[in-house]
Short mmCIF file of all heavy atoms in Angstrom, two decimals:
data_model
loop_
_atom_site.label_atom_id
_atom_site.label_comp_id
_atom_site.label_asym_id
_atom_site.label_seq_id
_atom_site.Cartn_x
_atom_site.Cartn_y
_atom_site.Cartn_z
N GLY A 1 91.99 88.03 89.44
CA GLY A 1 90.74 87.81 90.20
C GLY A 1 89.55 87.62 89.24
O GLY A 1 88.41 87.58 89.74
N SER A 2 89.70 87.33 88.02
CA SER A 2 88.57 87.32 86.86
C SER A 2 87.57 86.17 87.31
O SER A 2 86.43 86.30 87.25
CB SER A 2 89.12 87.00 85.57
OG SER A 2 89.84 88.21 85.09
N LEU A 3 88.08 85.04 87.67
CA LEU A 3 87.26 83.83 87.99
C LEU A 3 86.37 84.09 89.23
O LEU A 3 85.16 83.73 89.12
CB LEU A 3 88.05 82.63 88.22
CG LEU A 3 87.25 81.43 88.40
CD1 LEU A 3 86.27 81.18 87.32
CD2 LEU A 3 88.15 80.13 88.76
N GLU A 4 86.83 84.82 90.21
CA GLU A 4 86.05 85.11 91.39
C GLU A 4 84.83 86.04 90.97
O GLU A 4 83.72 85.85 91.39
CB GLU A 4 86.80 85.78 92.52
CG GLU A 4 87.86 84.88 93.09
CD GLU A 4 89.09 84.51 92.32
OE1 GLU A 4 89.33 85.23 91.36
OE2 GLU A 4 89.78 83.49 92.69
N ILE A 5 85.15 87.04 90.10
CA ILE A 5 84.06 87.97 89.57
C ILE A 5 83.07 87.22 88.78
O ILE A 5 81.95 87.38 88.91
CB ILE A 5 84.79 89.08 88.78
CG1 ILE A 5 85.58 89.93 89.63
CG2 ILE A 5 83.67 89.90 88.08
CD1 ILE A 5 86.51 91.00 89.01
N ILE A 6 83.55 86.34 87.92
CA ILE A 6 82.63 85.49 87.12
C ILE A 6 81.77 84.68 88.04
O ILE A 6 80.51 84.54 87.78
CB ILE A 6 83.51 84.61 86.17
CG1 ILE A 6 84.27 85.46 85.16
CG2 ILE A 6 82.53 83.51 85.42
CD1 ILE A 6 85.32 84.69 84.37
N GLU A 7 82.34 83.95 88.97
CA GLU A 7 81.40 83.10 89.88
C GLU A 7 80.52 83.97 90.75
O GLU A 7 79.44 83.47 90.87
CB GLU A 7 82.49 82.35 90.72
CG GLU A 7 83.27 81.36 89.98
CD GLU A 7 84.28 80.62 90.85
OE1 GLU A 7 84.69 81.08 91.88
OE2 GLU A 7 84.70 79.47 90.51
N LYS A 8 80.94 85.20 91.09
CA LYS A 8 79.87 85.98 91.74
C LYS A 8 78.66 86.28 90.85
O LYS A 8 77.53 86.09 91.40
CB LYS A 8 80.66 87.27 92.08
CG LYS A 8 79.67 88.38 92.85
CD LYS A 8 80.34 89.67 93.19
CE LYS A 8 80.49 90.41 91.86
NZ LYS A 8 81.02 91.83 92.12
N TYR A 9 78.85 86.60 89.63
CA TYR A 9 77.86 86.93 88.77
C TYR A 9 76.93 85.58 88.43
O TYR A 9 75.69 85.54 88.47
CB TYR A 9 78.22 87.42 87.47
CG TYR A 9 78.39 89.06 87.63
CD1 TYR A 9 79.53 89.55 88.04
CD2 TYR A 9 77.48 89.86 87.28
CE1 TYR A 9 79.79 90.86 88.26
CE2 TYR A 9 77.58 91.28 87.33
CZ TYR A 9 78.87 91.79 87.93
OH TYR A 9 79.04 93.18 88.07
N ALA A 10 77.72 84.55 88.23
CA ALA A 10 76.96 83.29 87.86
C ALA A 10 76.09 82.74 89.10
O ALA A 10 75.02 82.16 88.90
CB ALA A 10 77.96 82.14 87.63
N SER A 11 76.64 83.11 90.45
CA SER A 11 75.64 82.70 91.55
C SER A 11 74.35 83.52 91.66
O SER A 11 73.43 83.23 92.35
CB SER A 11 76.42 82.77 92.79
OG SER A 11 76.77 84.18 93.08
N HIS A 12 74.32 84.79 91.00
CA HIS A 12 73.29 85.50 91.02
C HIS A 12 72.22 85.54 89.79
O HIS A 12 71.10 86.01 89.90
CB HIS A 12 73.66 87.10 91.29
CG HIS A 12 74.25 87.31 92.62
ND1 HIS A 12 75.40 87.15 92.87
CD2 HIS A 12 73.51 87.58 93.89
CE1 HIS A 12 75.58 87.41 94.19
NE2 HIS A 12 74.50 87.68 94.84
N TYR A 13 72.83 84.98 88.75
CA TYR A 13 71.96 85.03 87.53
C TYR A 13 71.96 83.64 86.86
O TYR A 13 73.09 83.02 86.54
CB TYR A 13 72.63 85.97 86.49
CG TYR A 13 72.65 87.45 86.97
CD1 TYR A 13 73.73 87.91 87.61
CD2 TYR A 13 71.48 88.30 86.84
CE1 TYR A 13 73.75 89.29 88.13
CE2 TYR A 13 71.46 89.54 87.24
CZ TYR A 13 72.50 90.12 87.89
OH TYR A 13 72.53 91.25 88.37
N LYS A 14 70.90 82.99 86.76
CA LYS A 14 70.69 81.78 86.25
C LYS A 14 71.00 81.53 84.80
O LYS A 14 71.11 80.43 84.34
CB LYS A 14 69.21 81.22 86.69
CG LYS A 14 68.09 81.86 86.00
CD LYS A 14 66.77 81.39 86.34
CE LYS A 14 65.77 82.20 85.56
NZ LYS A 14 64.39 81.67 85.74
N ASN A 15 71.03 82.70 84.02
CA ASN A 15 71.24 82.52 82.60
C ASN A 15 72.70 82.60 82.21
O ASN A 15 73.01 82.66 81.09
CB ASN A 15 70.31 83.65 81.82
CG ASN A 15 70.82 85.00 82.22
OD1 ASN A 15 71.12 85.22 83.33
ND2 ASN A 15 70.57 85.92 81.20
N ILE A 16 73.59 82.55 83.30
CA ILE A 16 74.97 82.59 83.00
C ILE A 16 75.56 81.22 83.03
O ILE A 16 75.27 80.41 84.06
CB ILE A 16 75.80 83.48 84.08
CG1 ILE A 16 75.37 84.97 83.84
CG2 ILE A 16 77.21 83.32 83.93
CD1 ILE A 16 76.03 85.90 84.76
N VAL A 17 76.26 80.79 82.14
CA VAL A 17 76.91 79.51 81.98
C VAL A 17 78.44 79.90 82.01
O VAL A 17 79.01 80.76 81.25
CB VAL A 17 76.62 78.82 80.63
CG1 VAL A 17 77.58 77.62 80.48
CG2 VAL A 17 75.19 78.49 80.46
N VAL A 18 79.24 79.15 82.93
CA VAL A 18 80.54 79.43 83.12
C VAL A 18 81.47 78.18 82.56
O VAL A 18 81.08 77.10 82.99
CB VAL A 18 80.98 79.76 84.47
CG1 VAL A 18 82.57 79.84 84.77
CG2 VAL A 18 80.27 80.93 84.99
N ILE A 19 82.43 78.56 81.86
CA ILE A 19 83.32 77.50 81.38
C ILE A 19 84.69 77.96 81.93
O ILE A 19 85.16 79.09 81.50
CB ILE A 19 83.35 77.37 79.85
CG1 ILE A 19 81.99 76.97 79.32
CG2 ILE A 19 84.41 76.34 79.35
CD1 ILE A 19 81.73 77.04 77.85
N ASN A 20 85.34 77.11 82.55
CA ASN A 20 86.61 77.46 83.07
C ASN A 20 87.69 76.45 82.60
O ASN A 20 87.47 75.23 82.73
CB ASN A 20 86.57 77.37 84.69
CG ASN A 20 87.89 77.86 85.38
OD1 ASN A 20 88.47 78.88 84.78
ND2 ASN A 20 88.30 77.23 86.37
N GLN A 21 88.71 76.98 81.86
CA GLN A 21 89.56 76.10 81.16
C GLN A 21 91.09 76.70 81.36
O GLN A 21 91.32 77.81 81.62
CB GLN A 21 89.35 76.00 79.75
CG GLN A 21 89.44 77.35 79.00
CD GLN A 21 88.95 77.31 77.57
OE1 GLN A 21 88.12 76.50 77.19
NE2 GLN A 21 89.53 78.11 76.68
N LYS A 22 92.02 75.73 81.10
CA LYS A 22 93.42 76.20 81.02
C LYS A 22 93.52 77.15 79.73
O LYS A 22 92.70 77.02 78.90
CB LYS A 22 94.41 75.21 81.00
CG LYS A 22 94.39 74.22 79.79
CD LYS A 22 95.45 73.19 79.78
CE LYS A 22 95.25 72.41 78.55
NZ LYS A 22 96.33 71.51 78.31
N ASN A 23 94.50 77.94 79.84
CA ASN A 23 94.60 78.94 78.70
C ASN A 23 94.87 78.29 77.30
O ASN A 23 95.77 77.50 77.11
CB ASN A 23 95.85 79.95 79.01
CG ASN A 23 95.99 81.01 77.96
OD1 ASN A 23 96.77 80.81 76.96
ND2 ASN A 23 95.23 82.07 78.07
N GLN A 24 93.93 78.53 76.41
CA GLN A 24 94.07 77.91 75.09
C GLN A 24 94.03 78.94 73.94
O GLN A 24 93.96 78.69 72.78
CB GLN A 24 92.84 76.98 74.91
CG GLN A 24 92.88 75.88 75.85
CD GLN A 24 91.92 74.81 75.64
OE1 GLN A 24 91.58 74.38 74.44
NE2 GLN A 24 91.15 74.35 76.72
N GLY A 25 93.80 80.18 74.41
CA GLY A 25 93.77 81.34 73.33
C GLY A 25 92.50 81.69 72.84
O GLY A 25 91.45 80.91 73.14
N LEU A 26 92.32 82.82 72.22
CA LEU A 26 91.00 83.33 71.95
C LEU A 26 90.18 82.39 70.86
O LEU A 26 89.10 82.31 71.06
CB LEU A 26 91.19 84.76 71.34
CG LEU A 26 89.85 85.60 70.99
CD1 LEU A 26 88.99 85.72 72.31
CD2 LEU A 26 90.17 86.92 70.49
N TYR A 27 90.93 81.97 70.05
CA TYR A 27 90.27 81.21 68.92
C TYR A 27 89.48 79.96 69.49
O TYR A 27 88.35 79.66 69.29
CB TYR A 27 91.15 80.69 67.86
CG TYR A 27 90.57 79.89 66.80
CD1 TYR A 27 89.60 80.21 65.75
CD2 TYR A 27 90.71 78.45 66.86
CE1 TYR A 27 88.98 79.49 64.91
CE2 TYR A 27 90.04 77.55 65.91
CZ TYR A 27 89.25 78.05 65.11
OH TYR A 27 88.68 77.32 64.15
N LYS A 28 90.35 79.15 70.26
CA LYS A 28 89.77 77.89 70.94
C LYS A 28 88.66 78.27 71.89
O LYS A 28 87.77 77.67 72.16
CB LYS A 28 90.92 77.18 71.56
CG LYS A 28 90.57 75.89 72.25
CD LYS A 28 90.27 74.91 71.03
CE LYS A 28 89.93 73.53 71.62
NZ LYS A 28 89.28 72.72 70.63
N THR A 29 88.88 79.37 72.72
CA THR A 29 87.90 79.89 73.62
C THR A 29 86.57 80.05 72.97
O THR A 29 85.54 79.69 73.42
CB THR A 29 88.47 81.05 74.44
OG1 THR A 29 89.67 80.72 75.11
CG2 THR A 29 87.47 81.63 75.42
#
C-alpha cells in the first residue's frame, strides 16, 4: 500500500513530487 500512502501526502502538500516507476532498484531510483 505504499503508493496509496504517497498519493495521500502528495494531495495535501504542494511541495511533494511523486515519481511512480516499475522496480529498477535503489541506484536507478
